[in-house]
Amino acid sequence: MDAIYLDHAATTPVHPAVIEAMTNALQTSFGNPSSIHSFGRESRAILDRCRRYVADKIGASEKEIYFTSGGTEADNLAIIGVALANKAKGKHIITTQIEHHAVLHAAEHLETLGFEVTYLPVNQYGQVEMRTLQESLRDDTILVSIMMVNNEVGTLQAIAELAAIIKDHQAYFHTDAVQAFGLEQINVAKLGLDLLSVSGHKINGPKGTGFLYAGKGVKFHALQHGGAQERLKRPGTESLPAIVGLTKAIELIVEDNYPHKASYENYRTVFLQVLAQEGITFQVNGAPNAYAPSILNISFPGTSVESLLMNLDLDGIAASSGSACTAGSLELSHVLIAMYGEQDPRTENAIRFSFGLANDAAQIKKAATKVSQIIKRLTKQSTIIEEVK
């Protein structure tokens, strides 16, 4: 049985060219970038080149890029680091109810330190409404954090419009762009961003790497204590091979002119068409006209998440019930609860299928056919059980 991987929102396979670039770095550039001898200078030159490249691709300066261990650390640096550095201006922070836990748990931690956090609600499509942000903004607000693409349902937020609301306010605007980065070009200036978080392993790069963009003048504290690396904001010897891998992953996307969005849109269409042709009852969760096509969240009435995931796995289909960070938990999706309410059955029967480089159209059609067979089997069993009762 050939397994089909439809969980790219959790992590992606590392691109062969990335592995090659990292292997070369491991073999030839082992010097510490902070060392002043030739070995260190060689590594420093590579590190600087990577930083310049990453910065250029988002319209930033190299001095505004801070390499991290991934999206979680970048989010924490942005949320906690900014809060601690700017508490004299106020202790109010705004985020949303549907953020990744890297943001939500960072905000909850700040609440234990005396900060006040407003968690913005979303509509049934998972979108933050402009008036909601406007009404929540206060004189003592120092940070607004709203994710660009939701990791569970794929809803795309109107980031430029939301950021414009606080353009003349003291608050910084941060976005978690982990699921958005690589689908299309991002320009931090055009979007009006002060801070942006990215993870390498979501774009066919290595795990354990990412970066934070923090605009010139953004004040934030380091969360660790050690050396002077990353301009005193992220101490510890830089993982040069990982950073090389991250940069190579970005290069591959840029050189191909961001080609994947159209492919994923096609996969999404094929998947839904097969379900419809098979007569499956389903509902797509998320915004119908503002979404990342790489993420497809579907509710199947008459089923449960546990039985769905178990049967999908037995049939060789890797999918998820939402965030990989809560994959071992039976808790309901906080995203779907925010969208529909805790009692809505869609919170208990939703599966996330996410597309990537490991897929092709034939795979998607095959997977959708298998999913249809599983749904028919499970709903038939459910009907029999009800009749027996």
Side-chain angles (χ1 to χ4, degrees):
M1 177 177 63
D2 294 327
I4 300 175
Y5 187 74
L6 298 179
D7 202 18
H8 290 80
T11 194
T12 59
V14 181
H15 195 288
V18 171
I19 295 174
E20 182 180 357
M22 293 179 66
T23 301
N24 182 63
L26 282 166
Q27 293 174 333
T28 63
S29 305
F30 66 87
N32 189 321
S34 297
S35 298
I36 61 174
H37 48 60
S38 61
F39 295 90
R41 293 197 305 272
E42 178 188 354
S43 292
R44 169 59 63 180
I46 296 171
L47 180 63
D48 290 344
R49 185 164 62 247
C50 289
R51 197 186 309 278
R52 284 194 299 271
Y53 183 85
V54 170
D56 180 68
K57 298 314 165 189
I58 62 170
S61 161
E62 61 184 289
K63 294 182 178 180
E64 298 172 318
I65 301 297
Y66 301 84
F67 288 115
T68 67
S69 63
T72 292
E73 185 183 1
D75 282 341
N76 274 253
L77 262 178
I79 305 299
I80 300 175
V82 164
L84 295 179
N86 295 275
K87 60 184 179 181
K89 298 179 180 178
K91 303 185 77 173
H92 179 236
I93 293 165
I94 297 174
T95 188
T96 81
Q97 296 176 1
I98 64 167
E99 296 296 310
H100 189 277
H101 285 110
V103 169
L104 290 178
H105 289 169
E108 291 167 5
H109 171 67
L110 287 174
E111 289 183 291
T112 69
L113 302 180
F115 288 83
E116 185 178 351
V117 182
T118 296
Y119 299 91
L120 301 179
V122 294
N123 60 25
Q124 62 180 324
Y125 304 118
Q127 296 168 313
V128 175
E129 297 180 352
M130 304 297 165
R131 61 172 181 80
T132 307
L133 175 58
Q134 290 174 325
E135 293 170 358
S136 300
L137 204 60
R138 302 182 342 198
D139 290 342
D140 62 339
T141 304
I142 56 174
L143 177 67
V144 175
S145 180
I146 300 176
M147 70 195 322
M148 192 172 293
V149 168
N150 183 263
N151 57 297
E152 291 195 28
V153 298
T155 294
L156 175 66
Q157 303 293 345
I159 293 298
E161 290 82 356
L162 290 165
I165 292 174
I166 68 167
K167 181 180 179 181
D168 298 320
H169 193 280
Q170 69 167 0
Y172 296 128
F173 193 99
H174 165 254
T175 190
D176 177 333
V178 167
Q179 295 293 344
F181 194 83
L183 288 178
E184 57 186 35
Q185 191 168 7
I186 292 174
N187 185 290
V188 291
K190 290 181 179 179
L191 290 174
L193 300 175
D194 298 300
L195 301 128
L196 173 138
S197 303
V198 171
S199 175
H201 77 104
K202 307 293 188 179
I203 56 171
N204 303 102
K207 295 174 180 63
T209 189
F211 69 86
L212 172 69
Y213 156 76
K216 183 179 179 180
V218 174
K219 295 180 179 180
F220 66 102
H221 284 340
L223 302 183
Q224 299 166 289
H225 304 283
Q229 292 88 353
E230 299 302 301
R231 295 181 302 286
L232 300 171
K233 300 301 185 184
R234 205 275 184 178
T237 301
E238 296 90 348
S239 178
L240 188 62
I243 292 170
V244 167
L246 166 66
T247 305
K248 185 61 179 181
I250 297 172
E251 286 178 356
L252 292 169
I253 296 169
V254 173
E255 289 171 1
D256 288 339
N257 196 26
Y258 299 86
H260 307 311
K261 188 174 181 179
S263 297
Y264 303 156
E265 188 70 62
N266 179 56
Y267 296 165
R268 177 188 177 97
T269 299
V270 169
F271 198 98
L272 294 176
Q273 284 178 343
V274 171
L275 294 182
Q277 291 166 359
E278 292 289 334
I280 302 301
T281 299
F282 65 90
Q283 179 185 32
V284 176
N285 300 311
N289 300 311
Y291 59 83
S294 53
I295 297 175
L296 178 58
N297 190 296
I298 307 176
S299 285
F300 297 100
T303 67
S304 69
V305 167
E306 292 82 6
S307 61
L308 279 170
L309 290 178
M310 181 180 67
N311 279 271
L312 287 169
D313 189 43
L314 289 172
D315 268 13
I317 299 174
S320 172
S321 59
S323 171
C325 300
T326 56
S329 171
L330 294 179
E331 293 182 5
L332 300 179
S333 163
H334 69 285
V335 174
L336 295 179
I337 289 175
M339 291 166 60
Y340 303 132
E342 194 165 357
Q343 303 305 315
D344 195 293
R346 287 171 288 188
T347 63
E348 301 178 355
N349 57 30
I351 298 295
R352 180 188 70 184
F353 304 96
S354 48
F355 313 125
L357 294 188
N359 304 135
D360 57 39
Q363 267 193 348
I364 299 303
K365 187 173 183 179
K366 182 179 180 180
T369 301
K370 284 190 173 186
V371 170
S372 299
Q373 294 169 348
I374 291 170
I375 298 301
K376 290 176 181 179
R377 184 169 67 246
L378 292 178
T379 52
K380 181 179 180 180
Q381 291 174 352
S382 177
T383 301
I384 293 174
I385 292 173
E386 287 299 319
E387 289 177 351
V388 170
K389 288 181 179 179

